[in-house]
Amino acid sequence: MNRREVRGLALAAAALAVALVLPGALNTYYVRIITGTFLFGILASAWNLIGGYTGYPDFGGAAFIGVGAYTTGILMVRAHLPFPAALPAGCVLAAASAVAMGALLLRLRGHYFAIATLGFMLVLRQLTANLEITGGGSGMNLPAAGDFKEFYYWMLAGLVLAVLAGFALPRTRAGYALAAIRENQDAAQVLGIEPLPFKILAYAANAFLFAAAGGIYAYWLTFIDPPTVFNIDFTVQAVVMALFGGQGTVLGPVAGAVILKSLDVTLTNVSLFLHNVFFGALVCALVVFAPRGLAELFQARPGRGRAAALGASIREALQENRV
Amino acid sequence: MPLLAATGVSKFFGRLAAVNQVDVAIEPGEVVGLIGPNGAGKSTLVNVITGVEAPTAGRVEFAGADITGRRPAAIARLGIARTFQIAQPFRNMSVRQNVAVPVLFRAAPAAGVADALHRADEVLDVVGLGPKRDLPARALTTPDLRRLELAKAVALRPRLMLLDEVMAGLTPAETEADMALLRRINEQGITLLVIEHVLRVVMGLCRRVVVLHHGSKIAEGSPQQVTADPAVIAAYLGPRYAAHGGTGPR
Amino acid sequence: MTPSAQIALQNAVNGLLIGGTYATVGLGMSLVWGVLNVINIAHGAFVMLGAYTTYWLFTLYGIDPFATLPIAGAALFVLGYGLQRVVVNQVIRASFLITFLLTFGFDLLITNGALAVWTADVRAVTTAYSGRAIHLGPVIVPAVRLMTLGAALLVALLLHLLMSRTRLGTAIRATASDQDAARLMGIPIGHVYAITFGIALATAGIAGGLAGMSFPIYPAMGANFTFIGFVVCVLGGLGSVAGALVGGLLFGLLTTYAAGWLGPNYDYIVAFSALILVLLVRPAGLFGRAARFRG
C-alpha cells in the first residue's frame, strides 16, 4: 500500500473509533441525523460499485431497499424471526433477485440500463402494493425496537461493510475485470473476460448492501409502505453523493453523503416546506458547476489560492461546452 | 494440421459482402501476411475469427476444434489474441494494470493480482514499456499505445496472434524495432497473422501473404509472387498499372 | 356481437383513444432524445405543468380546455427555450449520467415547487361536455377522449410537417444527424437545440392539457408520464413522428388490455415487461434507430 492509502486507512480507522463512541456523547437528535447519514453512506458506496466502478448507472436501487425492508418486516412479523436473522435474509433475497434481473438487464447499456432498472423498481413497488403478505398499499408495521442506538450501530456496521467492499473489490481479480469492462468492454472480451457474470457480481453486491440499509431503515421506522421504501429519492441522492464525493475513491461516496446530508439538514431547518425545492436546485447547480466532483471545485492550481480556484471553476463551467 | 483454418467464410452486412467465401489456412509457427486495399474485409475477417462477429456462412477451426461463432472471451482463452487497428487501452488504468488483465483471465491465469502484476512487468520489459509501467494508459503516445496492445496480446499467452496494422505511422527505426520484436515473439512459438499496409513489414516478416479485395481472396503466395501478381497490382493501383506489369505506364 | 368481442372492441377503442395522449407525451421525449441525446427525466413534470396551465386557465377564466392547449404550448416553448439555452447547454456534451442528474434536478425542483404552490390536492377538468359520448354501434366513445385523440393527431401532423417541409425542420434533422457537420454548414446549433427543446416542452405541455381532461391532476403525476414517454420512445423507435405515434397507440392498447385482464394495478408490470422485451429483441424499436449508446 502506498502512502496515500495508508493515510486513508488511518483516517478511516480514526473516524470509526469516533463513530463508535458518539452516541454516548450526543443527544438523540444528532444521533438520528448521523444514522441517516450512515444510511446514505451505505447507499452511495454501494451504488459506486455498479454505477461508478463498473460504469453501469443503476437507477432502480430502491428496488432492493424495498426488498430488504419488506423481507425483514415480513420475517419479523409473520415468522417471528429476530431482527439479526431477518436482516441477512433480506440481503440474500435482494442479491438473488439482482442475479436474476441482472442476467437480463446488464445486457443493456447506458440510457437503456438506467431506465430499465428504474422500471424494475416501479414494478416491484406496484407488486408490493398488490400483495396481501406485504400489507398491500396500506403498508405494514414492524415490531418496535429498544434503544435508538441499536439502529445507529447497525447502520454503522452496514457502512463499514460497504466501505470494505469498495476497498476490496478493485484489488481482486473480479475488480480488474469490472474496471476493464468499464473502460472498454469490447477490449475486455478479447482478453478473456466474459462480462456478464462479473457485472452481475457487482450488481448483486450493490443489491445486498441496499437491502441491508433498507432492512435497518424499516426496523427504525417501524412502519413501511410501498412509496416510502420504493422511492427514487434514495437512489438519486445516492448517485449525487457518489458522484460529487468522488467516484474513483473508496471514501469519496461517504464524504459526499456527509456533505449533502448536512446541506439537506440545513435546508430543512431553513424551510421544511421548501427543502426539496432547494435540494433540486442544489442538484442542478452541482451538476452544472462541479460535474467532476466537489473535490475538483476546490483543487488549488499552481499560482492560485483555493478561493480563486473556485471562482475559476465556475467561470470555466460557464464557458465550457458553449455550443 | 493447420493451426487455424477458415473455410468458406462469408460475412454480409445487409446486402454488402464484407467477406466473401474466403479460405485461409495458417500452419503452426508461420508468419502470414494479410493485405488488401482499405475496405477489403481484413478487419472483418479477423472479427469473425475472434468471435466478435458471427459469420453469415463458413467455418473457423482452431487446432482442430470448431470455434465458429463462439464468444470472444472463450476464443481468447483458447489461445487467439488480437490487437485492434485503433488501440483500445484501458485508459484510466495504469500500463501495468492493463497488461495484468489478460494475465488474470487467460487459460493459465496468474495466481492472484500481485502475481499478475509481476508477470505483467516481465512482458512490459520485453516490449520496452517497463519504465512507463505506472503511467495511466491515456498518457501514452500512439507508438507506445501500439506496444501496449502488443504487450496485452502477448500476455494472453496465445498460440496465434492476429495483428491489425500495428506498424502504421511509425518511423523507420521504430518499425525495425517492432519487426524485431515480432520476430522474437514468433521464435517463441507464437503463430502470427499480420494485417499490414507497410510493404516493408510484409516483405520482411511474412513468408506467405494472402490478398483480399472487396471481400474475396484474390491472391496467395510468397511476398514476391504476390506483389508481382497483376490482379494484386490492379486492386491497389488500378488496372492501368497492372497492364504494364507493375512498373507504371510508359 | 358476443359480449367478449364487444369488450375487446371497446378496449381497443379505449386504448387508441388514450394512446393519442401517450403518443404526444412520447413525441417530446423522442425529439429531445433523438436530437440532443438527452433523456429528460423531468419530461413528465413539464406534462404536469401543462395540465395545471389548462386547469387554471379553465377554472379561473373559463377558457375551454382545448383552447388552452396552444397557450400551454406557447408558454412551455418559451420555458423550454430558456432552460436549454441557459442550463441544459452547459452539460450537453457531458456524460449521460450528468445530463440524467440534471434533468432529475429539474424534476425535483418542478414537482416540489408545484407541491408547495398548488398543494397536493387532486384537481380535475370538468366541462359541460365532459360526460357526453358517441355511440358507434356497440362501442361507446367518450366525446372528450375522441377530441383528445384528434388533437394528438393534429399535433403529430404539425410536427411531421415542421420536420419534413420547413427549413427549421431540416436544420434540426441535420443537427441530430451530425452536429459538427451541421455547424460547419452554418447552422446555429445552440439556437437549434434550444428551439428543439422548446418544441419538445411545448408538446409536453399540450400533452399535459390533454391528459388533464381525462386524468386527475396533482403535482406528482409527472413521474408516470416520464415512464410512459420512455416506453413510447423505446417501442416506436427514436427519430420519427410516426414512431412516437405508433408507439403511443400501441402502448395505449397494451395498457388498456392489461388493465382489462389483470386489473388496473398491474399496468407498470405490463409496461415494464413490454419494455424489456423490446429492448432485448429489437432495440431499435419498431420504426426508428436505436439511440446511440454511450456506455
Side-chain angles (χ1 to χ4, degrees):
Chain A
M1 284 196 287
N2 61 38
R3 280 184 59 194
R4 225 189 72 202
E5 288 179 335
V6 172
R7 262 207 311 257
L9 194 63
L11 180 66
L16 182 59
V18 170
L20 283 170
V21 299
L22 266 182
L26 292 174
N27 79 39
T28 319
Y29 171 71
Y30 290 107
V31 175
R32 275 178 205 276
I33 292 179
I34 297 178
T35 309
T37 309
F38 288 168
L39 173 79
F40 281 99
I42 297 175
L43 297 183
S45 302
W47 185 85
N48 201 27
L49 297 176
I50 183 73
Y53 192 68
T54 309
Y56 272 74
D58 172 25
F59 274 87
F64 305 116
I65 294 180
V67 170
Y70 269 98
T71 310
T72 305
I74 292 173
L75 287 177
M76 286 181 78
V77 169
R78 317 238 176 202
H80 303 294
L81 284 181
F83 178 71
L87 181 68
C91 296
V92 169
L93 186 61
S97 67
V99 171
M101 277 323 284
L104 268 173
L105 298 183
L106 288 163
R107 296 168 197 269
L108 308 168
R109 296 203 200 187
H111 298 154
Y112 292 113
F113 174 72
I115 298 276
T117 54
L118 184 55
F120 174 50
M121 183 204 82
L122 293 172
V123 165
L124 277 193
R125 184 167 80 183
Q126 193 165 60
L127 256 176
T128 310
N130 289 336
L131 294 174
E132 280 219 33
I133 192 172
T134 59
S138 326
M140 71 181 300
N141 284 296
L142 280 85
D147 192 0
F148 184 83
K149 293 211 197 71
E150 248 188 274
F151 305 120
Y152 177 92
Y153 286 111
W154 276 109
M155 281 296 186
L156 180 58
L159 181 61
V160 170
L161 187 64
V163 170
L164 281 177
F167 179 79
L169 186 67
R171 291 163 171 75
T172 61
R173 181 171 177 264
Y176 270 73
L178 290 171
I181 290 168
R182 174 196 72 225
E183 291 293 315
N184 191 323
Q185 186 165 285
D186 294 326
Q189 283 182 293
V190 300
L191 292 173
I193 297 174
E194 187 56 67
L196 198 57
F198 293 104
K199 294 193 276 194
I200 291 178
L201 177 69
Y203 192 47
N206 156 280
F208 188 93
L209 291 166
F210 265 68
I216 302 168
Y217 187 58
Y219 194 29
W220 171 2
L221 285 184
T222 67
F223 171 76
I224 53 174
D225 65 353
T228 307
V229 289
F230 293 106
N231 189 339
I232 194 159
D233 281 346
F234 282 121
T235 316
V236 176
Q237 291 194 52
V239 175
V240 172
M241 290 165 183
L243 206 63
F244 300 125
Q247 309 181 49
T249 66
V250 177
L251 290 175
V254 180
V258 170
I259 295 174
L260 258 87
K261 247 316 156 224
S262 315
L263 281 170
D264 193 30
V265 167
T266 317
L267 289 175
T268 312
N269 287 334
V270 168
S271 163
L272 179 64
F273 209 34
L274 289 175
H275 100 273
N276 270 323
V277 179
F278 290 149
F279 195 76
L282 181 66
V283 171
C284 291
L286 281 176
V287 167
V288 172
F289 294 121
R292 280 180 288 273
L294 284 171
E296 176 224 26
L297 259 187
F298 292 97
Q299 229 147 42
R301 253 157 279 203
R304 284 170 165 175
R306 286 181 183 226
L310 175 59
S313 285
I314 294 178
R315 241 176 295 124
E316 207 175 80
L318 288 170
Q319 284 166 2
E320 243 178 40
N321 301 323
R322 274 289 148 127
V323 181
Chain B
M1 180 180 62
L3 181 61
L4 181 79
T7 324
V9 171
S10 298
K11 177 66 185 176
F12 282 81
F13 291 108
R15 276 176 307 184
L16 175 68
V19 176
N20 203 344
Q21 291 287 322
V22 169
D23 297 319
V24 175
I26 306 179
E27 301 293 328
E30 276 199 286
V31 180
V32 177
L34 182 62
I35 69 175
N38 279 324
K42 310 185 291 292
S43 291
T44 310
L45 182 61
V46 169
N47 283 344
V48 168
I49 294 172
T50 52
V52 173
E53 304 260 13
T56 317
R59 214 169 62 243
V60 181
E61 282 165 336
F62 183 64
D66 189 352
I67 61 168
T68 321
R70 289 194 65 181
R71 295 188 61 76
I75 293 179
R77 259 173 302 171
L78 281 174
I80 302 183
R82 72 164 299 172
T83 63
F84 286 93
Q85 205 169 351
I86 303 170
Q88 307 273 323
F90 302 127
R91 298 177 49 83
N92 292 307
M93 294 167 77
S94 74
V95 169
R96 241 183 144 203
Q97 287 171 328
N98 265 265
V99 179
V101 168
V103 174
L104 283 169
F105 292 98
R106 64 193 180 198
V113 170
D115 189 29
L117 289 170
H118 278 325
R119 293 179 193 276
D121 286 339
E122 290 167 8
V123 176
L124 286 175
D125 286 332
V126 167
V127 303
L129 280 176
K132 304 193 181 169
R133 69 171 61 109
D134 287 317
L135 287 179
R138 65 177 181 272
L140 291 182
T141 62
T142 312
D144 279 340
L145 280 176
R146 296 261 178 67
R147 245 165 253 137
L148 180 59
E149 284 280 287
L150 213 53
K152 286 157 81 174
V154 167
L156 202 56
R157 290 239 188 100
R159 291 162 68 179
L160 170 67
M161 263 171 71
L162 308 169
L163 301 163
D164 202 341
E165 293 189 47
V166 288
M167 304 285 192
L170 297 179
T171 68
E174 286 164 344
T175 310
E176 269 308 327
D178 280 3
M179 276 173 71
L181 181 58
L182 287 182
R183 270 192 215 102
R184 274 206 305 280
I185 291 172
N186 180 236
E187 278 155 23
Q188 306 252 309
I190 300 179
T191 310
L192 301 180
L193 176 68
V194 180
I195 300 179
E196 261 317 324
H197 282 305
V198 181
L199 213 50
R200 182 154 145 229
V201 173
V202 175
M203 306 291 274
L205 267 183
C206 310
R207 227 163 314 141
R208 192 156 60 90
V209 177
V210 171
V211 189
L212 291 186
H213 185 47
H214 289 327
S216 305
K217 183 165 77 171
I218 61 170
E220 186 172 357
S222 77
Q224 289 76 12
Q225 288 172 324
V226 150
T227 48
D229 186 327
V232 175
I233 298 167
Y236 271 101
L237 298 174
R240 275 168 66 206
Y241 286 85
H244 295 275
T247 51
R250 280 199 198 103
Chain C
M1 187 178 269
T2 69
S4 53
Q6 191 170 331
I7 294 175
L9 192 58
Q10 182 70 54
N11 276 340
V13 170
N14 288 345
L16 288 176
L17 289 175
I18 200 60
T21 306
Y22 291 165
T24 316
V25 173
L27 266 178
M29 207 170 191
S30 176
L31 199 57
V32 171
W33 189 350
V35 177
L36 284 83
N37 205 20
V38 167
I39 296 193
N40 186 2
I41 300 296
H43 191 76
F46 294 112
V47 171
M48 179 266 293
L49 285 181
Y52 269 98
T53 308
T54 297
Y55 172 78
W56 287 118
L57 285 175
F58 170 68
T59 307
L60 293 178
Y61 304 113
I63 306 176
D64 178 78
F66 284 98
T68 66
L69 294 180
I71 305 175
L76 273 139
F77 175 83
V78 173
L79 178 63
Y81 188 95
L83 261 182
Q84 203 286 335
R85 211 82 218 244
V86 175
V87 191
V88 181
N89 221 26
Q90 308 299 330
V91 300
I92 207 145
R93 285 203 201 243
S95 76
F96 130 77
L97 189 63
I98 298 285
T99 55
F100 220 74
L101 282 176
L102 180 65
T103 54
F104 252 125
F106 284 166
D107 188 57
L108 275 176
L109 254 178
I110 296 171
T111 307
N112 288 298
L115 192 59
V117 173
W118 294 317
T119 79
D121 291 344
V122 176
R123 325 281 173 126
V125 169
T126 320
T127 59
Y129 51 85
S130 279
R132 297 243 205 94
I134 306 176
H135 293 260
L136 287 178
V139 171
I140 303 172
V141 182
V144 171
R145 298 232 173 171
L146 185 62
M147 289 163 70
T148 302
L149 178 62
L153 290 173
L154 183 63
V155 170
L157 180 66
L158 287 175
L159 194 60
H160 173 72
L161 289 175
L162 176 79
M163 294 299 270
S164 59
R165 303 283 168 90
T166 66
R167 281 183 59 186
L168 174 64
T170 312
I172 293 176
R173 280 183 296 136
T175 310
S177 207
D178 189 334
Q179 193 193 97
D180 295 315
R183 200 189 280 119
L184 287 173
M185 299 280 152
I187 294 177
I189 306 276
H191 189 50
V192 168
Y193 277 164
I195 290 194
T196 307
F197 203 72
I199 295 175
L201 256 53
T203 60
I206 295 175
L210 293 174
M213 297 181 221
S214 304
F215 294 118
I217 303 174
Y218 55 99
M221 69 189 278
N224 243 11
F225 285 104
T226 302
F227 191 62
I228 288 171
F230 189 83
V231 178
V232 168
C233 284
V234 170
L235 279 180
L238 294 187
S240 77
V241 174
L245 199 54
V246 171
L249 293 174
L250 202 62
F251 191 57
L253 286 170
L254 194 64
T255 47
T256 308
Y257 275 108
W261 293 331
L262 301 169
N265 291 323
Y266 286 87
D267 50 345
Y268 272 128
I269 295 167
V270 171
F272 180 66
S273 312
L275 180 69
I276 296 293
L277 204 64
V278 173
L279 282 179
L280 288 175
V281 169
R282 201 186 155 87
L286 297 169
F287 275 79
R289 43 172 242 267
R292 291 176 275 138
F293 291 125
R294 293 221 222 190

